[in-house]
Amino acid sequence: MILKAALVNSALLLAAGSSAQITNVKQAFYTLQSWYNPGSGIWDGDGWWNGANAFTVVAELALAAQTKNDSSILQSATNIFANTWIVGPSSNGNIPQQSGGNYDSSNATAWGGPAYDDNGWWALAWIAAYDATKNDTYLQLAQGMFDDLVTDAWGTRCGNGGVYWNSDHSYVNAITNELFLSIAAHLANRVSDNSSYYISWAEKEWNWFATSGMINENNTINDGLTDPCTNNGQTAWSYNQGVVLGGLVELNKASPNQSYIDSANTIAQAAIKLLADSNNIIHETCESSGDCFPNATQFKGIFMRNLLLLQQASPNDLYAKVIQSCAQSIWANDRDNTTNQLSINWAGPFVSPANSSTHSSAMDALVAAIYL
Ligand SMILES: *[C@@H]1O[C@H](CO)[C@@H](O)[C@H](O)[C@H]1NC(C)=O
Ligand SMILES: *[C@@H]1O[C@H](CO)[C@@H](O)[C@H](O)[C@H]1NC(C)=O
Ligand SMILES: *[C@@H]1O[C@H](CO)[C@@H](O)[C@H](O)[C@H]1NC(C)=O
Ligand SMILES: *[C@@H]1O[C@H](CO)[C@@H](O)[C@H](O)[C@H]1NC(C)=O
Ligand SMILES: *[C@@H]1O[C@H](CO)[C@@H](O)[C@H](O)[C@H]1NC(C)=O
Ligand SMILES: *[C@@H]1O[C@H](CO)[C@@H](O)[C@H](O)[C@H]1NC(C)=O
Ligand SMILES: *[C@@H]1O[C@H](CO)[C@@H](O)[C@H](O)[C@H]1NC(C)=O
Ligand SMILES: *[C@@H]1O[C@H](CO)[C@@H](O)[C@H](O)[C@H]1NC(C)=O
Ligand SMILES: *[C@@H]1O[C@H](CO)[C@@H](O)[C@H](O)[C@H]1NC(C)=O
């Protein structure tokens, strides 16, 4: 009887949660769009790479809403993608600005630059836009961006594998390598006539990464490597525990091997142990000092987006609980109830001012919860 009651309760909770969540996330989307700047193609207050992540959450929401037979977001999203396609490169501070804005948006260099992680975020953003629209133009751009990473970034002094963070070819860090893995693995599942090419790059990256030293004794991932190529002990940011999960899930889909899922589960569980509070709310270490400026405001959402991919491939009550708890707490405790803006600390209270980075990051959790 207890079991039956529990089942009924959780079924009710899920049913009630689902319809409420899609309504809430749509409200959050309208708020996000109050920052979208049609002239810059990104969201006011966002840096270039944050823009790629706000763009990605719009694409992910368009897809999630479709599963609820709601295509209104996809219509808006399609217009956002088309506009950002045209004007977005004018906001890329990495490239020379052209007067008149005559960029060739299909040329990968319009989106990348000396910071290779920026290249990586935009490649994943356009893959997400491709997933939502099935427009091949976006997938081809992502392929071009991956080609540039192979040419410009691959082959570090650390074992002659992996990619550098930027064109100085000095720092070898986790995020750029995780992005490289994730892009290759995503392309392997989408570029059917060249799947084996992308699988081999994803495998090469993962084999290098797994033994690079970035994964520490607790199975969490530090920021990067020292000059002599050992773990540098710098902050285990939430996004460093996230992007790798999506990469491994996609690689397992393209070239099944249980060890990829096992590794993803090990990292995800270690990350939750490190980052979640006793109510299963994820925090960034910088929150306690109040100083996440300007990049770390984005990270937690990236973790949630990728934890969802793992939950879909390898369901686990813990992951579902973390995603649900974060989404519910954000809406209940971390929201300005007049503007629906979402702020930095997902446990609350709302910290003013919120901005397009804190808001889009929190939206990632709301979007992930739509699937649960
Ligand atoms: C969406 O529409 C399809 C076809 O009309 C229907 O079978 C399905 O149950 C609907 N799903 C939801 C979540 O409403
Ligand atoms: C694909 O995207 C490009 C760039 O936004 C646009 O010009 C083109 O019309 C789109 N194609 C389709 C079939 O919608
Ligand atoms: C892409 O842009 C770069 C830099 O402006 C240029 O060197 C390159 O020739 C362009 N590639 C193509 C295919 O047009
Ligand atoms: C696969 O992609 C690579 C890199 O873009 C290219 O060199 C190669 O020719 C492609 N192979 C096929 C079969 O299209
Ligand atoms: C691993 O966890 C233990 C126990 O919490 C801690 O003392 C140690 O510093 C951690 N190691 C790393 C590399 O984070
Ligand atoms: C699965 O991946 C592991 C780790 O990369 C590797 O050692 C093993 O050979 C792979 N198994 C197969 C069947 O390819
Ligand atoms: C966004 O808000 C957070 C938290 O208030 C702050 O730390 C961050 O610097 C802001 N971001 C930008 C780009 O102003
Ligand atoms: C924020 O990220 C950008 C892009 O990667 C980088 O250029 C900048 O140095 C970062 N800022 C800080 C304070 O870490
Ligand atoms: C809205 O937020 C304010 C400030 O946190 C709070 O005092 C008020 O009760 C809230 N109103 C509603 C309807 O939740």
Side-chain angles (χ1 to χ4, degrees):
M1 291 316 278
I2 289 169
L3 181 63
K4 192 175 169 200
L7 283 175
V8 169
N9 277 340
S10 72
L12 285 174
L13 189 70
L14 285 181
S18 306
S19 61
Q21 277 154 14
I22 184 85
T23 314
N24 295 348
V25 195
K26 284 173 74 170
Q27 290 302 322
F29 170 69
Y30 303 140
T31 300
L32 179 68
Q33 286 315 96
S34 69
W35 283 293
Y36 183 71
N37 183 330
S40 72
I42 58 175
W43 287 258
D44 282 341
D46 268 354
W48 180 234
W49 84 276
N50 304 85
N53 279 284
F55 183 103
T56 302
V57 82
V58 168
E60 303 286 355
L61 172 57
L63 273 175
Q66 293 278 85
T67 69
K68 307 289 176 197
N69 288 348
D70 181 336
S71 58
S72 64
I73 303 291
L74 181 58
Q75 286 165 20
S76 307
T78 302
N79 293 334
I80 294 165
F81 304 154
N83 183 66
T84 294
W85 174 265
I86 295 168
V87 303
S90 69
S91 301
N92 181 1
N94 296 309
I95 58 170
Q97 294 301 303
Q98 296 171 5
S99 56
N102 295 315
Y103 295 97
D104 175 5
S105 296
S106 64
N107 185 330
T109 61
W111 304 92
Y116 300 140
D117 52 342
D118 289 356
N119 200 315
W121 295 116
W122 277 105
L124 287 180
W126 286 110
I127 291 170
Y130 166 77
D131 285 349
T133 61
K134 293 288 175 269
N135 185 330
D136 280 323
T137 301
Y138 303 152
L139 190 63
Q140 281 156 14
L141 171 61
Q143 290 173 257
M145 297 181 81
F146 184 74
D147 285 345
D148 281 1
L149 285 173
V150 168
T151 307
D152 299 341
W154 179 265
T156 72
R157 65 173 184 284
C158 300
N160 203 30
V163 289
Y164 285 108
W165 173 41
N166 66 20
S167 58
D168 294 347
H169 284 198
S170 166
Y171 190 30
V172 181
N173 71 353
I175 197 60
T176 319
N177 281 285
E178 295 181 27
L179 288 165
F180 187 91
L181 166 68
S182 189
I183 298 162
H186 275 81
L187 291 176
N189 289 310
R190 288 161 180 78
V191 184
S192 51
D193 60 1
N194 214 347
S195 189
S196 58
Y197 172 79
Y198 293 111
I199 289 171
S200 73
W201 271 114
E203 284 175 346
K204 223 159 128 175
E205 170 64 56
W206 172 244
N207 290 339
W208 176 85
F209 188 85
T211 56
S212 66
M214 305 234 204
I215 306 178
N216 64 42
E217 58 189 350
N218 298 333
N219 294 310
T220 55
I221 299 171
N222 293 96
D223 195 67
L225 302 179
T226 60
D227 286 347
C229 304
T230 59
N231 185 310
N232 68 8
Q234 287 182 25
T235 308
W237 298 110
S238 62
Y239 77 156
N240 283 330
Q241 328 306 312
V243 173
V244 66
L245 306 180
L248 287 168
V249 166
E250 288 284 323
L251 176 55
N252 180 63
K253 198 189 276 181
S255 177
N257 180 330
Q258 183 61 32
S259 78
Y260 301 143
I261 296 295
D262 293 345
S263 297
N265 279 317
T266 301
I267 294 166
Q269 285 159 34
I272 289 168
K273 195 170 159 198
L274 180 72
L275 302 169
D277 67 20
S278 57
N279 296 316
N280 300 303
I281 311 299
I282 301 292
H283 294 275
E284 209 68 72
T285 49
C286 58
E287 283 170 22
S288 50
S289 62
D291 187 16
C292 295
F293 178 82
N295 289 329
T297 49
Q298 201 74 49
F299 294 168
K300 299 190 300 268
I302 295 162
F303 177 70
M304 299 307 282
R305 189 192 300 159
N306 286 283
L307 185 64
L308 172 70
L309 292 180
L310 181 58
Q311 166 67 12
Q312 290 173 325
S314 180
N316 183 312
D317 287 348
L318 175 65
Y319 309 155
K321 205 162 59 181
V322 166
I323 294 169
Q324 293 269 26
S325 303
C326 289
Q328 280 162 9
S329 177
I330 286 165
W331 200 255
N333 306 316
D334 183 33
R335 175 173 56 105
D336 176 325
N337 57 23
T338 58
T339 61
N340 285 323
Q341 291 181 1
L342 309 171
S343 84
I344 176 81
N345 184 337
W346 291 358
F350 178 80
V351 178
S352 183
N355 50 49
S356 52
S357 177
T358 62
H359 185 85
S360 62
S361 182
M363 273 182 73
D364 273 306
L366 304 184
V367 171
I370 291 174
Y371 288 96
L372 302 181

Short mmCIF file of all heavy atoms in Angstrom, two decimals, residues 203 206-207 210 255-260 263, ligand 6:
data_model
loop_
_atom_site.label_atom_id
_atom_site.label_comp_id
_atom_site.label_asym_id
_atom_site.label_seq_id
_atom_site.Cartn_x
_atom_site.Cartn_y
_atom_site.Cartn_z
N GLU A 203 36.70 9.73 -30.02
CA GLU A 203 37.42 8.68 -29.26
C GLU A 203 38.83 9.14 -28.91
O GLU A 203 39.32 8.92 -27.79
CB GLU A 203 37.48 7.39 -30.08
CG GLU A 203 36.15 6.65 -30.09
CD GLU A 203 36.16 5.42 -31.01
OE1 GLU A 203 37.09 5.29 -31.84
OE2 GLU A 203 35.22 4.63 -30.91
N TRP A 206 38.59 11.61 -26.08
CA TRP A 206 38.24 11.01 -24.78
C TRP A 206 39.41 10.18 -24.24
O TRP A 206 39.72 10.24 -23.05
CB TRP A 206 36.96 10.17 -24.88
CG TRP A 206 36.70 9.40 -23.61
CD1 TRP A 206 36.69 8.05 -23.47
CD2 TRP A 206 36.46 9.94 -22.29
NE1 TRP A 206 36.45 7.70 -22.16
CE2 TRP A 206 36.32 8.85 -21.41
CE3 TRP A 206 36.38 11.24 -21.77
CZ2 TRP A 206 36.08 9.02 -20.04
CZ3 TRP A 206 36.14 11.40 -20.41
CH2 TRP A 206 36.00 10.30 -19.57
N ASN A 207 40.05 9.42 -25.11
CA ASN A 207 41.19 8.61 -24.65
C ASN A 207 42.29 9.50 -24.07
O ASN A 207 42.92 9.16 -23.07
CB ASN A 207 41.75 7.75 -25.79
CG ASN A 207 40.79 6.64 -26.18
OD1 ASN A 207 39.92 6.26 -25.40
ND2 ASN A 207 40.92 6.14 -27.41
N ALA A 210 40.80 11.30 -20.63
CA ALA A 210 40.60 10.42 -19.47
C ALA A 210 41.91 10.18 -18.72
O ALA A 210 41.90 9.94 -17.52
CB ALA A 210 40.00 9.10 -19.93
N SER A 255 28.77 5.26 -31.17
CA SER A 255 29.67 4.11 -31.15
C SER A 255 29.56 3.45 -29.77
O SER A 255 30.40 3.71 -28.90
CB SER A 255 31.09 4.61 -31.43
OG SER A 255 32.01 3.55 -31.36
N PRO A 256 28.51 2.63 -29.58
CA PRO A 256 28.17 2.17 -28.23
C PRO A 256 29.32 1.45 -27.52
O PRO A 256 29.97 0.58 -28.09
CB PRO A 256 26.99 1.21 -28.48
CG PRO A 256 26.38 1.70 -29.75
CD PRO A 256 27.55 2.18 -30.59
N ASN A 257 29.53 1.88 -26.28
CA ASN A 257 30.53 1.25 -25.41
C ASN A 257 30.13 1.62 -23.98
O ASN A 257 30.19 2.81 -23.62
CB ASN A 257 31.93 1.77 -25.76
CG ASN A 257 33.02 1.15 -24.90
OD1 ASN A 257 32.79 0.79 -23.75
ND2 ASN A 257 34.22 1.02 -25.47
N GLN A 258 29.73 0.65 -23.19
CA GLN A 258 29.22 0.90 -21.85
C GLN A 258 30.20 1.73 -21.01
O GLN A 258 29.79 2.45 -20.10
CB GLN A 258 28.88 -0.43 -21.16
CG GLN A 258 28.27 -0.31 -19.77
CD GLN A 258 26.92 0.44 -19.76
OE1 GLN A 258 26.16 0.36 -20.73
NE2 GLN A 258 26.65 1.17 -18.68
N SER A 259 31.47 1.64 -21.33
CA SER A 259 32.45 2.37 -20.50
C SER A 259 32.21 3.88 -20.58
O SER A 259 32.53 4.61 -19.65
CB SER A 259 33.88 2.03 -20.90
OG SER A 259 34.25 2.71 -22.06
N TYR A 260 31.66 4.37 -21.70
CA TYR A 260 31.39 5.82 -21.81
C TYR A 260 30.29 6.22 -20.82
O TYR A 260 30.38 7.26 -20.16
CB TYR A 260 30.96 6.19 -23.23
CG TYR A 260 31.97 5.86 -24.31
CD1 TYR A 260 31.57 5.40 -25.56
CD2 TYR A 260 33.34 6.00 -24.07
CE1 TYR A 260 32.48 5.08 -26.55
CE2 TYR A 260 34.27 5.68 -25.06
CZ TYR A 260 33.83 5.23 -26.30
OH TYR A 260 34.73 4.91 -27.27
N SER A 263 31.63 6.01 -17.23
CA SER A 263 32.46 7.18 -16.89
C SER A 263 31.58 8.41 -16.64
O SER A 263 31.81 9.17 -15.70
CB SER A 263 33.45 7.51 -18.01
OG SER A 263 34.36 6.45 -18.18
C1 LIG B 6 35.38 0.55 -24.73
O1 LIG B 6 36.09 1.70 -24.29
C2 LIG B 6 37.17 1.37 -23.42
C3 LIG B 6 37.72 2.67 -22.88
O2 LIG B 6 38.00 3.59 -23.88
C4 LIG B 6 38.21 0.56 -24.22
O3 LIG B 6 39.27 0.19 -23.36
C5 LIG B 6 37.53 -0.68 -24.77
O4 LIG B 6 38.43 -1.36 -25.61
C6 LIG B 6 36.28 -0.33 -25.57
N1 LIG B 6 35.58 -1.56 -25.91
C7 LIG B 6 35.26 -1.84 -27.15
C8 LIG B 6 34.50 -3.11 -27.37
O5 LIG B 6 35.56 -1.12 -28.09
#
